[in-house]
Amino acid sequence: GEPSHRLVKTACTALDRMTHRGAVAVDGKTGDGCGVLMAMPQAFFRAIAKEEGIWLGENFAVGMVFLSRDEAVARRSRHLLRRHLADEMLEVAGWREVPIETGVLGQMATESLPRIEQVFVNAPEDMQRGRFNRQLFLARRRAENRLDEEETYIASLSSVTISYKGMIMPAALPDFYPDLRDERLESSVCLFHQRFSTNTLPEWRLAQPFRFLAHNGEI
């Protein structure tokens, strides 16, 4: 149960060992989707929030959100998510544009690359963790039901986990997301997987793992 950066690094190394299980596009750099789902690295995100000028309360969550590259569309999506979070008595503390290195992407992945941001959410101090995550779940589902833009996808929104994933070759995941190379990012549990593309074409939002688990094939 001790969080460490070593575990995150080991998960990324193990993910690289699964490269042979997935598909590779003709450009040799676009995979069919991989990533890591980890226990929330709270100290890391508190440090990042402080650097970004975002105040976090005692109870906070972080969401990984794929947004449209069209800023007007992205703005509408942020507003919609903020509104539904407010309906659940939750407050958006701020947004962070996630650092990425696009040079490791293949042509197909680059052409469909979303704008990747993290949303920081505060809960009332007296709200218990279980209820907090239920409210986050409800806000996410209601926002998704109202979103018309296919480019917008909430990859994870929780106070206990965070997901880093994409249409990337496994070896390139920590290169694409510098966060994963940051020694301050420590976690006690990491779930890693590469998507098995069986009956649909790869998409950023379909990359493994999903919000709670990983699975073989598609349901």
Side-chain angles (χ1 to χ4, degrees), residues 52-74:
E52 298 281 331
I54 298 172
W55 181 84
L56 294 180
E58 182 68 23
N59 300 321
F60 75 93
V62 182
M64 184 73 84
V65 186
F66 295 164
L67 294 165
S68 171
R69 304 298 298 182
D70 184 324
E71 178 53 34
V73 176

Side-chain angles (χ1 to χ4, degrees), residues 1-218:
E2 290 291 332
S4 71
H5 181 69
R6 177 177 177 274
L7 182 61
V8 176
K9 187 176 180 180
T10 300
C12 291
T13 300
L15 176 63
D16 185 17
R17 301 289 193 269
M18 297 184 69
T19 300
H20 67 286
R21 298 299 304 274
V24 184
V26 68
D27 59 24
K29 296 174 71 176
T30 301
D32 56 359
C34 69
V36 292
L37 174 69
M38 70 184 77
M40 181 66 71
Q42 290 206 8
F44 172 75
F45 281 120
R46 285 196 180 279
I48 291 297
K50 186 175 182 180
E51 292 172 4
E52 298 281 331
I54 298 172
W55 181 84
L56 294 180
E58 182 68 23
N59 300 321
F60 75 93
V62 182
M64 184 73 84
V65 186
F66 295 164
L67 294 165
S68 171
R69 304 298 298 182
D70 184 324
E71 178 53 34
V73 176
R75 191 182 307 115
R76 286 197 299 271
S77 297
R78 292 191 204 97
H79 173 75
L80 189 62
L81 182 57
R82 180 191 296 271
R83 192 179 78 194
H84 284 286
L85 286 165
D87 288 344
E88 302 300 331
M89 298 181 293
L90 305 176
E91 176 189 18
V92 171
W95 290 81
R96 174 203 184 209
E97 187 168 357
V98 180
I100 56 174
E101 299 289 344
T102 59
V104 301
L105 299 178
Q107 180 181 349
M108 292 175 62
T110 301
E111 290 173 352
S112 58
L113 174 67
R115 182 184 180 96
I116 304 175
E117 296 188 6
Q118 286 167 340
V119 57
F120 292 78
V121 182
N122 284 324
E125 290 186 9
D126 60 347
M127 184 177 286
Q128 295 183 344
R129 178 68 60 87
R131 185 183 176 198
F132 185 14
N133 282 307
R134 284 194 295 273
Q135 304 305 93
L136 289 166
F137 176 86
L138 290 171
R140 175 180 63 78
R141 289 295 295 129
R142 286 167 177 155
E144 285 174 335
N145 287 337
R146 295 290 303 277
L147 287 169
D148 297 326
E149 301 83 20
E150 292 186 359
E151 309 104 305
T152 305
Y153 179 74
I154 304 170
S156 65
L157 179 59
S158 171
S159 69
V160 295
T161 59
I162 187 75
S163 171
Y164 282 84
K165 67 176 188 174
M167 244 170 76
I168 312 162
M169 294 298 292
L173 186 70
D175 296 323
F176 180 71
Y177 287 114
D179 280 3
L180 296 177
R181 305 195 306 269
D182 194 318
E183 295 283 340
R184 298 174 299 172
L185 192 148
E186 299 178 329
S187 186
S188 57
V189 179
C190 291
L191 177 70
F192 58 91
H193 197 34
Q194 181 174 11
R195 177 175 180 255
F196 297 84
S197 184
T198 52
N199 60 13
T200 60
L201 291 174
E203 296 179 36
W204 279 85
R205 66 183 181 88
L206 293 178
Q208 292 270 10
F210 297 104
R211 299 183 185 101
F212 301 106
L213 50 77
H215 67 76
N216 292 350
E218 293 157 24

